[in-house]
Amino acid sequence: SMLGVKLIYKDKEYKVENLNEARHVNVFDNISVSFSGTSPNAKATVKNDATDSYLSGLKLKLSKSSGIKTGDKVTVTVSYSEALSNGYILTETSKEYTCDKLDAYISNVDELSSAQQEELKKTAKDKIEAYCAQNNISQANLNYAGTYTLVPKNSSYYGNSNQIYEIYNVDITAKKNYSGTETVTQSVYMAVNIGNVLLKSNGSISYNSSMSLSGRTTIGNTSVSCYANGEELYRSLITKQKDTYTYSVSGGIKQFGE
């Protein structure tokens, strides 16, 4: 060579020992998402049950943690670094979870089973019969006419989460005058308000035990909690509250508006 240096070399193989092979791991085997609360305002929480010091320290991010309703999907994303130097290859870094079981306030009675709908009808019927007996008025031909379901447009509304009006057509008989025995009979609509009807994740229902009758009509000499006709019923319970509630109508009372 020009420098007068001669290099002498020989190929040689070296064996690398005592290195651990990186392990493929699905971190979501130890990650779970739980949903709590009531649709559509439920919450989601994520939990990491890994026991390994590196895997248990991974940062997890939920795409949505509040304002969740039944059927919503949330995604968990894993933030990771130096996985390989810790001996891991992560096979997945995000996963989607579906919220499929929550208690939910109904927005239409059709969400209930026929047996549950009949339960609400009977509850309302019992309320009407008790009201008439307590106010010394006679009722006859008590027939189910339909149901209004009202839901507040504002999710932060301070009152009931829904209002169910079970409507019955009934003949009310009351004294015509304060004195005497003469009576007057009028066919009216009676609306029983049942609040916070909740369909639970286990399939059962709950609702407020306190119920009320709406409307006011004078029959004879008696002021009765009822509506004189279907148009008045619809105007009072639906039209006057359209700015505050969304609503659904079921049954024969659809003839007055829907």
Side-chain angles (χ1 to χ4, degrees):
S1 75
M2 293 179 62
L3 299 176
V5 177
K6 185 178 182 180
L7 296 176
I8 301 173
Y9 63 90
K10 183 179 180 181
D11 292 339
K12 188 171 183 180
E13 292 183 358
Y14 293 88
K15 185 178 181 181
V16 179
E17 297 179 332
N18 300 320
L19 284 181
N20 293 323
E21 185 177 350
R23 183 160 62 96
H24 289 74
V25 62
N26 184 349
V27 295
F28 290 97
D29 288 344
N30 293 303
I31 291 173
S32 60
V33 173
S34 59
F35 299 94
S36 60
T38 304
S39 179
N41 297 306
K43 295 182 179 180
T45 55
V46 60
K47 183 180 180 184
N48 186 350
D49 289 321
T51 56
D52 175 90
S53 59
Y54 174 74
L55 297 179
S56 63
L58 292 172
K59 292 183 179 179
L60 308 176
K61 182 180 179 181
L62 274 169
S63 60
K64 188 177 185 180
S65 60
S66 61
I68 295 169
K69 65 180 182 298
T70 302
D72 278 356
K73 299 179 186 296
V74 299
T75 300
V76 176
T77 303
V78 179
S79 297
Y80 65 96
S81 61
E82 301 181 348
L84 191 58
S85 62
N86 281 277
Y88 293 107
I89 296 174
L90 306 188
T91 59
E92 289 186 60
T93 56
S94 67
K95 186 175 180 179
E96 189 177 73
Y97 296 81
T98 301
C99 177
D100 56 2
K101 283 189 177 181
L102 279 177
D103 293 354
Y105 289 105
I106 68 168
S107 56
N108 191 308
V109 289
D110 291 339
E111 297 168 29
L112 304 179
S113 69
S114 57
Q116 290 166 339
Q117 292 183 45
E118 289 302 318
E119 178 183 338
L120 293 181
K121 292 176 188 177
K122 184 180 186 306
T123 299
K125 184 178 179 182
D126 290 346
K127 176 69 177 178
I128 291 171
E129 290 176 341
Y131 169 85
C132 291
Q134 293 161 6
N135 289 274
N136 297 315
I137 54 180
S138 300
Q139 56 84 18
N141 302 319
L142 184 58
N143 295 305
Y144 171 73
T147 302
Y148 292 145
T149 307
L150 285 77
V151 179
K153 291 181 178 180
N154 186 346
S155 60
S156 61
Y157 182 70
Y158 64 88
N160 290 334
S161 294
N162 60 26
Q163 295 190 77
I164 311 301
Y165 289 95
E166 296 288 3
I167 315 297
Y168 276 82
N169 183 222
V170 56
D171 293 336
I172 295 294
T173 299
K175 290 182 66 176
K176 188 173 183 178
N177 303 300
Y178 287 101
S179 59
T181 58
E182 191 176 356
T183 61
V184 59
T185 299
Q186 185 173 335
S187 178
V188 298
Y189 287 93
M190 303 190 83
V192 179
N193 184 344
I194 305 174
N196 289 327
V197 178
L198 182 71
L199 179 58
K200 297 182 179 181
S201 59
N202 64 7
S204 64
I205 61 170
S206 66
Y207 43 87
N208 292 353
S209 58
S210 177
M211 288 162 278
S212 61
L213 279 156
S214 301
R216 186 64 58 184
T217 300
T218 300
I219 301 175
N221 69 348
T222 305
S223 180
V224 182
S225 293
C226 64
Y227 297 94
N229 54 64
E231 290 75 20
E232 181 185 331
L233 169 80
Y234 183 84
R235 183 172 58 253
S236 178
L237 297 183
I238 300 299
T239 307
K240 288 184 178 180
Q241 303 192 87
K242 280 185 175 182
D243 59 335
T244 308
Y245 294 91
T246 59
Y247 66 94
S248 63
V249 183
S250 62
I253 52 176
K254 285 184 177 182
Q255 63 180 303
F256 308 121
E258 58 179 305

